[in-house]
Amino acid sequence: MKNNPLISIIITNYNKSKFIIKGVKSCLNQKYKEIEIIFFDDNSSDDSLKKIKDFKKKNEINLKIISNQKKKNSTSPINQMIAVNKSLKYVKGKFIFLLDSDDFFHKKKFFEIVRIFERDDNKKLIIDLPIYKYKKKEIKKNYKNISFKNKWPKFPPTSCMSFETKTLKKVIKKINFRKYPNLAIDFFLAVYYYVILKNFYIHKSHLTYYRQLTNGTDSIYLKYRTKKWWIRRKEAFEFLNDLLVKNRLPANKGLDFVITNFLNKIL
């Protein structure tokens, strides 16, 4: 790439003081250097804010810190969506990389992803593959045959997502995320780009370390075993079908949909 475009990394954080410097350093230690970092702290009760401010003071880096002084919402997914929304106002880069503050990037990530974007102007969302990071081991996760037609899809998490900035700003404005308080930002965006924009590219390289924590946000959404999980699943169908109907596409109301609605009525 002859002229490296500026890229923006949005890091959203809540009480992940133990991990935040690792995440920021993974951005700074990249082969690709034309970056800006926007760090959004969502009113953490630990020393996250002090730690990131001290790090910025000691290092000459392009790092903007946004501190949310008061939370107004009850669910983590809504808070994260608001964090990204507010951070977008400060973005100057041509492309955006999302990063949860407990995750971190492979040192070649920016170079590989930007090269793909620059080679094909039609790509608006690129998702790389995660490396599940446990305390004592790492596991490379692969995703095959992603589809929203026959079964509920699985796709890589938020920190694996990279976007062309102009399109992302337009898409987020079209999503009424407050209507679905249990849905995560990765689901909203993956569904919209896949179903509506038909622009969903999986890069077959493992470039994101996805930390597995026992007290993470998803711990309250244990698959099949909690009421919260079934509520979130119902919201997922509602969001998907709202999009489909608005765009004059057939709704997804198969057996999975029927079972999910039934269980939400009796739980």
Side-chain angles (χ1 to χ4, degrees):
M1 294 173 287
K2 294 181 179 180
N3 299 311
N4 294 339
L6 178 70
I7 65 171
S8 304
I9 305 97
I10 296 176
I11 302 177
T12 53
N13 174 71
Y14 175 67
N15 283 352
K16 293 293 189 300
S17 171
K18 181 179 178 180
F19 307 110
I20 58 177
I21 301 305
K22 175 76 172 179
V24 172
K25 284 184 175 180
S26 77
C27 299
L28 299 174
N29 295 333
Q30 295 280 321
K31 181 179 179 180
Y32 192 95
K33 298 298 183 183
E34 298 299 317
I35 70 171
E36 65 171 5
I37 301 173
I38 299 167
F39 185 95
F40 188 100
D41 182 76
D42 199 13
N43 196 29
S44 292
S45 58
D46 64 8
D47 66 340
S48 291
L49 203 53
K50 180 181 183 305
K51 185 173 285 189
I52 194 65
K53 285 181 177 179
D54 288 346
F55 183 81
K56 179 181 179 180
K57 188 175 181 180
K58 293 176 182 178
N59 300 274
E60 294 184 4
I61 53 177
N62 191 358
L63 170 64
K64 180 173 183 58
I65 300 171
I66 304 172
S67 175
N68 186 24
Q69 298 298 321
K70 185 177 180 180
K71 287 190 175 185
K72 298 181 180 180
N73 301 283
S74 58
T75 68
S76 295
I78 287 184
N79 287 324
Q80 185 180 29
M81 192 75 174
I82 291 173
V84 172
N85 227 337
K86 289 184 176 180
S87 298
L88 281 173
K89 297 176 183 178
Y90 302 94
V91 163
K92 297 178 182 177
K94 184 177 181 180
F95 307 111
I96 295 174
F97 292 70
L98 299 183
L99 179 64
D100 291 342
S101 60
D102 50 341
D103 299 334
F104 57 100
F105 294 143
H106 188 283
K107 64 182 179 180
K108 294 181 180 179
K109 173 158 178 168
F110 296 166
F111 180 81
E112 285 196 27
I113 300 300
V114 173
R115 182 171 57 181
I116 297 171
F117 272 128
E118 291 289 86
R119 285 178 175 176
D120 185 355
D121 290 339
N122 292 320
K123 286 187 171 59
K124 305 302 180 185
L125 164 63
I126 298 174
I127 306 179
D128 59 274
L129 299 177
I131 304 166
Y132 278 44
K133 178 72 174 176
Y134 297 89
K135 284 186 177 181
K136 297 183 179 180
K137 64 180 179 179
E138 297 176 358
I139 299 176
K140 291 184 176 180
K141 183 75 172 180
N142 295 301
Y143 291 76
K144 297 179 180 180
N145 301 321
I146 296 175
S147 174
F148 288 78
K149 295 180 180 179
N150 301 316
K151 61 180 182 179
W152 204 247
K154 288 185 178 181
F155 42 81
T158 306
S159 296
C160 294
M161 292 182 161
S162 309
F163 302 84
E164 185 267 333
T165 301
K166 290 182 181 179
T167 303
L168 177 61
K169 287 183 176 181
K170 292 177 182 178
V171 168
I172 281 190
K173 289 180 181 179
K174 295 180 180 180
I175 297 175
N176 181 11
F177 58 89
R178 294 180 186 277
K179 186 177 178 181
Y180 315 96
N182 293 287
L183 296 186
I185 187 172
D186 54 358
F187 183 84
F188 283 124
L189 296 176
V191 170
Y192 198 98
Y193 276 79
Y194 185 96
V195 175
I196 305 304
L197 300 184
K198 311 295 185 188
N199 202 303
F200 190 95
Y201 177 74
I202 299 289
H203 180 46
K204 305 292 185 175
S205 289
H206 295 83
L207 300 174
T208 303
Y209 290 88
Y210 179 41
R211 205 180 294 274
Q212 301 299 293
L213 304 174
T214 56
N215 62 342
T217 301
D218 282 343
S219 61
I220 66 171
Y221 299 104
L222 294 177
K223 191 173 183 178
Y224 301 128
R225 289 180 282 173
T226 62
K227 183 178 180 180
K228 277 280 190 181
W229 187 85
W230 286 104
I231 290 173
R232 183 170 70 171
R233 195 173 184 82
K234 184 173 184 291
E235 288 182 8
F237 272 114
E238 290 172 347
F239 171 66
L240 172 60
N241 285 330
D242 281 351
L243 278 184
L244 292 172
V245 171
K246 287 178 182 177
N247 288 273
R248 298 181 180 181
L249 297 169
N252 185 325
K253 294 187 177 182
L255 181 61
D256 197 355
F257 170 84
V258 173
I259 293 173
T260 298
N261 277 316
F262 173 74
L263 290 174
N264 268 270
K265 290 179 181 179
I266 65 174
L267 290 177

